[in-house]
Amino acid sequence: MKVIGNLMQKSHIAKLAASLALSAMLLPGIASASALAQFKSFVSSTKSAKGDFEQELLNAKSNGANKVGSPSSKSSGTFIFARPGKFIWTYKQPYEQLLQADGETLFIYDKDLNQVTIKKLGDALGSSPAAILFGSNDLEKNFILKEGEAKDGVEWLEATPKSKETTFAQIDIGMRNGVPEIMKLQDTLGGTSLLTFKNFIKNPPAPAGGFKFVPPKGADILKE
């Protein structure tokens, strides 16, 4: 039963990241700007980025943009992305898993199972949390953006997907010094997940090998 539980947890996080499927350089003149101003400046000036992330899945519903429930699980890793639709999202703890997209196709690699799941990136990226980091600059096409309340030096922005065909009801984005510091994802079933970003570096060099995915030797390949 423990193995089944772990697999279910991994599957849930993988789906979240997939629908997300994540700067150390301060943007001059916007440190105290509103969340919307910071966010628009970030989107227009950031073609790529990399950094570290921590993710928490929460049991209880949250009440407001800055209150959360009790953490049910935690994970962490690294990310690098290039717009639009190219990214490498790597879970390192508590288990190793890779989500990688080349702009057209999403690859999910589970190291424990030595299994690769292949999906079309398609239009699903547009109204998902992933669009905020990995998508095009035209976010207001897919989201209704609204200022939230500032707290502890973080300016909050509320993003509500326009599409009804999404698993997320609202995405809250916490901006500090011109880059996203935290994202709170509320799904349509009442669950909440937190993503915290660290060591955020804007417009770094492309990774070696670009974003082309090469399946590990001997891995099982599943297409959806």
Side-chain angles (χ1 to χ4, degrees):
M1 294 298 293
K2 182 178 181 181
V3 172
I4 294 175
N6 289 339
L7 290 176
M8 291 178 65
Q9 178 183 338
K10 291 164 70 172
S11 175
H12 179 74
I13 296 177
K15 288 180 181 179
L16 173 66
S19 62
L20 278 169
L22 311 232
S23 166
M25 300 171 60
L26 303 185
L27 297 181
I30 66 172
S32 59
S34 69
L36 185 57
Q38 290 191 53
F39 181 68
K40 287 187 174 182
S41 181
F42 163 76
V43 169
S44 64
S45 65
T46 306
K47 306 301 180 184
S48 62
K50 68 177 183 179
D52 304 320
F53 72 87
E54 294 181 354
Q55 180 175 328
E56 288 183 315
L57 300 181
L58 307 174
N59 283 321
K61 288 185 178 181
S62 57
N63 298 310
N66 305 308
K67 296 180 181 179
V68 299
S70 301
S72 58
S73 63
K74 296 183 179 181
S75 55
S76 61
T78 63
F79 69 89
I80 183 167
F81 72 83
R83 291 182 177 175
K86 298 179 180 179
F87 58 87
I88 301 173
W89 187 276
T90 306
Y91 286 96
K92 295 185 175 181
Q93 298 292 338
Y95 53 84
E96 295 185 45
Q97 189 176 57
L98 173 71
L99 295 99
Q100 185 164 331
D102 58 11
E104 296 181 356
T105 306
L106 173 66
F107 303 88
I108 304 174
Y109 173 58
D110 189 307
K111 185 175 181 180
D112 291 344
L113 299 177
N114 197 26
Q115 178 177 290
V116 177
T117 302
I118 302 175
K119 303 181 179 183
K120 286 188 176 181
L121 202 58
D123 296 332
L125 187 67
S127 58
S128 73
I132 292 169
L133 293 181
F134 313 136
S136 67
N137 291 350
D138 192 15
L139 289 175
E140 288 180 289
K141 176 182 177 181
N142 296 305
F143 294 92
I144 298 172
L145 303 179
K146 178 184 177 182
E147 292 280 354
E149 296 183 4
K151 184 175 181 180
D152 298 329
V154 176
E155 301 284 345
W156 285 89
L157 178 68
E158 299 174 3
T160 304
K162 293 181 179 179
S163 173
K164 301 301 181 182
E165 297 182 3
T166 175
T167 57
F168 292 91
Q170 183 170 308
I171 304 160
D172 297 318
I173 309 157
M175 302 292 298
R176 190 198 298 267
N177 295 324
V179 296
E181 182 174 282
I182 187 169
M183 291 174 62
K184 188 180 73 169
L185 316 174
Q186 300 180 53
D187 65 39
T188 55
L189 298 178
T192 304
S193 180
L194 292 180
L195 281 171
T196 304
F197 303 108
K198 297 181 179 179
N199 304 318
F200 204 108
I201 299 175
K202 294 180 56 183
N203 302 319
F211 293 88
K212 181 179 179 180
F213 180 80
V214 178
K217 186 177 180 179
D220 293 329
I221 307 296
L222 303 177
K223 292 185 178 182
E224 296 185 0

